[in-house]
Structure formats: structure tokens, C-alpha cells
Amino acid sequence: MFEFPLPLTNNWLPKTAFELNLKQQNWLLSEGSLTAKLKSSFVDFSVEILSEKKQELTLEQASFMKPHQQGMYTFREVILRCDNQAQIYAQSWIPDALFSTDAQLAQLGSKPLGEYLFRHPELMRNEIQVAQFDESHPIIDLACSLHLSKQPCLGRRSIFSLFGYQVMVCEVFLPQSVLY
């Protein structure tokens, strides 16, 4: 039904461009691990892998990740579920060269990427960008397929630097998630 990876092309803006309420600020602009935050807020947490494939960056992705490493990336798409409800659609772009440097990353499976990234004290994160996804965006179709309401939702993206590599992570707070 869906062709993965889902396109997340949007009008990504600096976090200061949005008027966010305190709850939205607390979730969208948090610099810490979203995985840890979700685990501390809910009883049950799980990761559902939607897609994992190797491909090159699109022009839009490459322009955001300047300078980026040449070569193939693993695009990983997951749903983060809390208490059995879909909360977050997450998409990450991990350079394949990083997989060869760390066996734990290569064996990630259904473990959350956030647990891996935030385990490293040398991890650096650039500024968070925010976007709103309207009802015509494919992410809303995915939300509807998960039996969630058809309504606009907010997402964030940023680049993490680890061991000289850049990992891009986008997280979209699905309708009816903790953000709303």
C-alpha cells in the first residue's frame, strides 16, 4: 500500500518559526532522547519496523546534511508505539560506513536507534527543525492506516554527529499522540 521510504519533503523551519504551546515545546524541542522520554511516560514501549533499505540520499536530504558522506545510506522507518498505540513515525538515514564501525549498530534490529545514539557521550546534535504535515501529506495516509484520525501533525528533524559521521533523524508525532 505504501512505498517506502515515505517522502518527508516539507517546509522545514527553525524551531523559532513556530508558536508552540508548552507541551509541544516539551516534546518537539527536547534535546534528549525521545526514546527515553517515551519510556518514562508510558508503561509499554515497542518499535515496529516498517522499512529498512539501502539507497543514496535525495537532493533535499543531501542539501540538509551538508557536508555529507558520499555513498549509500540505510533508510530506516519505524513506528514507535507506547501502550500499543502508534505515537511517532521515525525515519533515519544512517551512512553505511557507520555500520561497519560498530557491530551493535549493525545488529540494531527492533531496538530503538535513540538508545544506541544517546549511549555515546560524544554524540552531538545540530539545531532541531520543525514542520507541519497537512492532511494531504502521505504521513497522514499512514496515520489513517494505523486507525488514527486524519489531522495535521507536527514533526522535527535534526542531524546527529557520531564518530565523524552524520545521522539524520526525522520524528513525526502522529495524530492522537502524546504531543496533542
Side-chain angles (χ1 to χ4, degrees), residues 38-89:
L38 289 168
K39 284 184 169 186
S40 70
S41 300
F42 293 91
V43 174
D44 184 47
F45 175 88
S46 63
V47 176
E48 175 187 344
I49 298 173
L50 299 174
S51 172
E52 198 170 274
K53 61 173 76 171
K54 296 181 185 307
Q55 64 186 71
E56 293 183 1
L57 296 175
T58 66
L59 290 176
E60 192 267 338
Q61 293 159 348
S63 69
F64 180 61
M65 293 182 69
K66 285 185 180 175
H68 71 278
Q69 290 86 22
Q70 297 296 315
M72 298 299 283
Y73 282 70
T74 294
F75 282 37
R76 178 182 158 120
E77 294 172 282
V78 301
I79 298 290
L80 304 181
R81 291 184 175 273
C82 298
D83 297 345
N84 207 31
Q85 180 177 333
Q87 292 284 324
I88 310 288
Y89 164 83

Side-chain angles (χ1 to χ4, degrees), residues 52-179:
E52 198 170 274
K53 61 173 76 171
K54 296 181 185 307
Q55 64 186 71
E56 293 183 1
L57 296 175
T58 66
L59 290 176
E60 192 267 338
Q61 293 159 348
S63 69
F64 180 61
M65 293 182 69
K66 285 185 180 175
H68 71 278
Q69 290 86 22
Q70 297 296 315
M72 298 299 283
Y73 282 70
T74 294
F75 282 37
R76 178 182 158 120
E77 294 172 282
V78 301
I79 298 290
L80 304 181
R81 291 184 175 273
C82 298
D83 297 345
N84 207 31
Q85 180 177 333
Q87 292 284 324
I88 310 288
Y89 164 83
Q91 187 178 100
S92 56
W93 304 316
I94 308 163
D96 278 358
L98 180 57
F99 281 99
S100 64
T101 65
D102 193 326
Q104 289 180 343
L105 180 59
Q107 299 172 355
L108 194 59
S110 62
K111 296 176 191 151
L113 178 63
E115 281 185 356
Y116 169 82
L117 291 174
F118 282 92
R119 192 171 48 228
H120 300 283
E122 63 275 14
L123 179 71
M124 293 176 45
R125 179 185 216 156
N126 77 346
E127 186 174 337
I128 294 172
Q129 292 185 331
V130 178
Q132 181 167 331
F133 295 84
D134 65 28
E135 293 176 7
S136 66
H137 197 279
I139 195 71
I140 305 302
D141 294 333
L142 176 66
C144 289
S145 77
L146 297 168
H147 309 291
L148 300 173
S149 60
K150 185 172 189 163
Q151 67 185 51
C153 52
L154 293 169
R156 68 181 192 168
R157 75 176 182 179
S158 59
I159 295 174
F160 294 91
S161 296
L162 184 64
F163 307 131
Y165 296 100
Q166 292 183 335
V167 177
M168 184 172 173
V169 176
C170 293
E171 297 151 329
V172 179
F173 290 78
L174 296 170
Q176 299 164 243
S177 78
V178 67
L179 183 68

Side-chain angles (χ1 to χ4, degrees), residues 12-23:
W12 292 96
L13 299 169
K15 60 187 178 187
T16 55
F18 284 84
E19 290 188 34
L20 303 170
N21 64 40
L22 288 176
K23 187 177 191 178

